[in-house]
Amino acid sequence: MKAFEATRYFFSKAAEQLDMSDELKEALLMPDREIQVQVTIRRDDGRLANFVGFRVQHDHARGPMKGGLRYHQEVDLDESRALASLMTWKTAVVNLPYGGAKGGIGVDPSQFSCNEIERMTRAFVDQIHDIVGPDTDIPAPDMGTDHQVMSWFRNQWEKYHGFNPAVITGKPVEEYGAKGREEATGRGVGTLTQKLIKRLGMTPDKTRVAIQGFGNVGSHAGKFLYEGQFPIVAVSDITGTYYNEDGLNIQKLLRHKLAHPKGLLEGFEGAEHLPLDALLKLDPVDVLIPAALGGVITEDNVDTIKAKVIVEAANGPVHPGADDVLNERGVTVLPDILANAGGVTVSYFEWVQNRQHYRWSLDRVRQELDHTMNEAFEDVWQMAGQHEVSLRTAAYMIGISRVRRASELAGLA
């Protein structure tokens, strides 16, 4: 099943609960605009290299569109379409005045120099600068991009349109970025994991956690939960799974990752080194946090998963068929459109600060983030209980209802 088909499946389950017509469902699912462009650069050795860039703008009923800029070899139109749609429901669930967008370049950034990535970014901006902006579509970091890429993007866009740092979020703090932006998604995952296990009658010190993907999101989530007395028994990255049944020392892990030339866990001592796919199958594990790529939990491997709770830190980590199996088994899944919304929430705070020409303190950013995420969690928890549906369906119901209402108020029949 392709990425957009999976998003459509989850959307349709929620739409059935809302008694929506087929025509309205299609109107809300269909993207406003899809752009595919050629990105050509000259490499450091003088050769020309050609790439394909994408930007999908899904919906603007609730405000400017918002979504990440991803550099990854699997970026294509279908993935961009699916993730843009997810952003629409995600921003609505946490009640931000945004719609959804997504895009990027189909490239493996690890195979290119810093100068080549800069040229690639600027060439991409040259192609799409007229369809993005602080009142239309505001990109942000995603897989394969970071605050440096955002800085290049902003600089190139301003060559066409003049000074306006609100064109993009996730910028360096020194260039009008928000404090706490890099930790935001992981902190949101940690905050809601704590809240969820409390609702389920579990206690932190007896809740064993495994985190698949120890990149930006996974490492910040792990740090937050470790400080909250959760035993993190396993983490993984591309070099394998690192397991300790008594709990890993996350501070030591972070220091090792920082010292590694490629920021990896390779060579870490104090843990058993297992194959990469071992993390999903570990037992005993109470909470599984997939924080890497989408589509990692499928109908083929869902029966090997022993966790009672899954918190989706990545976008779309659970296939629809696997999600149905998990629901039947009574596994609680906190969906991506709620669990990982911390990043877009602090991106909104950054955009607000840029528009106001005023900077918030880190304490204020964290307080506002925690308040927004907790409020959204309460809305979803109550909706799930009221309609006797999963947390995923409840989250989609809230997101779809808010977008539907905004569309109707704007004149959509």
Side-chain angles (χ1 to χ4, degrees):
M1 181 180 288
K2 290 188 175 182
F4 189 64
E5 289 180 46
T7 304
R8 179 186 284 269
Y9 178 85
F10 293 135
F11 173 95
S12 298
K13 286 188 72 173
E16 288 175 11
Q17 295 286 331
L18 298 171
D19 194 26
M20 292 171 58
S21 67
D22 290 341
E23 294 83 0
L24 182 56
K25 284 190 283 189
E26 283 302 315
L28 294 183
L29 270 173
M30 187 179 298
D32 285 351
R33 178 170 16 188
E34 298 180 344
I35 301 293
Q36 179 175 316
V37 298
Q38 178 180 334
V39 179
T40 301
I41 66 165
R42 192 167 294 281
R43 298 201 62 175
D44 293 341
D45 62 7
R47 291 179 299 149
L48 283 179
N50 299 292
F51 312 95
V52 180
F54 304 91
R55 191 68 183 172
V56 175
Q57 298 171 330
H58 179 257
D59 188 276
H60 64 275
R62 302 184 73 251
M65 291 166 285
K66 190 85 183 71
L69 191 65
R70 177 175 287 203
Y71 290 179
H72 191 270
Q73 55 268 34
E74 294 182 9
V75 170
D76 59 17
L77 190 57
D78 178 75
E79 183 194 58
S80 298
R81 186 184 292 143
L83 296 175
S85 173
L86 280 175
M87 284 301 299
T88 295
W89 319 127
K90 184 182 298 183
T91 54
V93 166
V94 291
N95 213 12
L96 304 179
Y98 282 146
K102 206 77 171 189
I105 302 174
V107 64
D108 180 357
S110 68
Q111 303 303 308
F112 294 84
S113 70
C114 182
N115 287 335
E116 289 170 335
I117 296 295
E118 178 179 355
R119 291 196 287 273
M120 195 183 301
T121 300
R122 293 183 184 277
F124 188 37
V125 175
D126 289 342
Q127 295 281 41
I128 68 167
H129 70 87
D130 55 341
I131 65 164
V132 299
D135 296 310
T136 53
D137 178 0
I138 308 137
D142 203 296
M143 188 177 298
T145 62
D146 57 14
H147 62 276
Q148 177 61 77
V149 175
M150 300 304 103
S151 185
W152 291 328
F153 190 106
R154 173 199 161 203
N155 179 267
Q156 192 69 13
W157 184 89
E158 289 183 340
K159 291 178 180 179
Y160 293 97
H161 303 279
F163 175 80
N164 197 329
V167 63
I168 199 164
T169 60
K171 302 180 294 294
V173 173
E174 300 88 345
E175 291 197 355
Y176 305 93
K179 295 177 180 178
R181 173 60 183 84
E182 289 195 1
E183 71 172 28
T185 305
R187 182 181 178 87
V189 169
T191 298
L192 294 194
T193 300
Q194 282 189 333
K195 200 168 184 66
L196 178 60
I197 67 110
K198 184 176 180 181
R199 288 296 174 88
L200 296 175
M202 302 161 70
T203 57
D205 61 316
K206 295 180 181 179
T207 301
R208 292 153 299 199
V209 178
I211 302 174
Q212 185 208 33
F214 206 63
N216 179 59
V217 176
S219 61
H220 281 293
K223 180 175 180 290
F224 187 91
L225 292 171
Y226 179 74
E227 292 172 351
Q229 307 305 311
F230 285 79
I232 315 296
V233 298
V235 300
S236 68
D237 66 5
I238 60 172
T239 66
T241 296
Y242 298 81
Y243 173 72
N244 186 325
E245 64 179 354
D246 297 322
L248 296 162
N249 186 323
I250 297 299
Q251 295 292 355
K252 187 177 178 182
L253 264 173
L254 292 171
R255 287 194 296 271
H256 177 90
K257 180 180 166 69
L258 191 63
H260 191 281
K262 293 185 178 180
L264 300 174
L265 299 176
E266 183 181 32
F268 177 73
E269 298 178 357
E272 184 180 354
H273 187 212
L274 303 173
L276 183 58
D277 62 354
L279 185 135
L280 296 178
K281 309 171 187 176
L282 289 175
D283 185 25
V285 164
D286 302 301
V287 177
L288 172 63
I289 302 179
L293 289 170
V296 296
I297 300 176
T298 68
E299 291 166 279
D300 294 330
N301 66 6
V302 66
D303 290 335
T304 67
I305 292 172
K306 309 302 180 186
K308 307 169 194 172
V309 177
I310 296 175
V311 179
E312 295 185 330
N315 286 316
V318 180
H319 275 216
D323 191 62
D324 290 339
V325 173
L326 292 170
N327 286 332
E328 289 171 7
R329 280 170 40 193
V331 176
T332 302
V333 179
L334 193 66
D336 48 4
I337 62 171
L338 173 60
N340 68 27
V344 71
T345 300
V346 175
S347 275
Y348 169 66
F349 298 158
E350 180 178 335
W351 180 77
V352 167
Q353 292 172 73
N354 293 161
R355 303 307 294 264
Q356 294 177 337
H357 301 283
Y358 182 77
R359 176 163 290 177
W360 296 3
S361 68
L362 178 59
D363 283 345
R364 181 177 178 186
V365 170
R366 287 175 169 173
Q367 288 170 6
E368 295 283 355
L369 171 63
D370 293 349
H371 171 76
T372 301
M373 297 296 286
N374 287 332
E375 192 172 69
F377 178 88
E378 290 298 334
D379 289 343
V380 171
W381 186 267
Q382 291 175 23
M383 178 69 79
Q386 181 181 347
H387 291 270
E388 298 182 345
V389 296
S390 69
L391 294 176
R392 187 189 307 280
T393 298
Y396 269 87
M397 288 171 67
I398 291 171
I400 293 167
S401 295
R402 287 172 176 166
V403 175
R404 173 186 184 177
R405 179 60 175 157
S407 299
E408 290 172 344
L409 289 170
L412 176 63

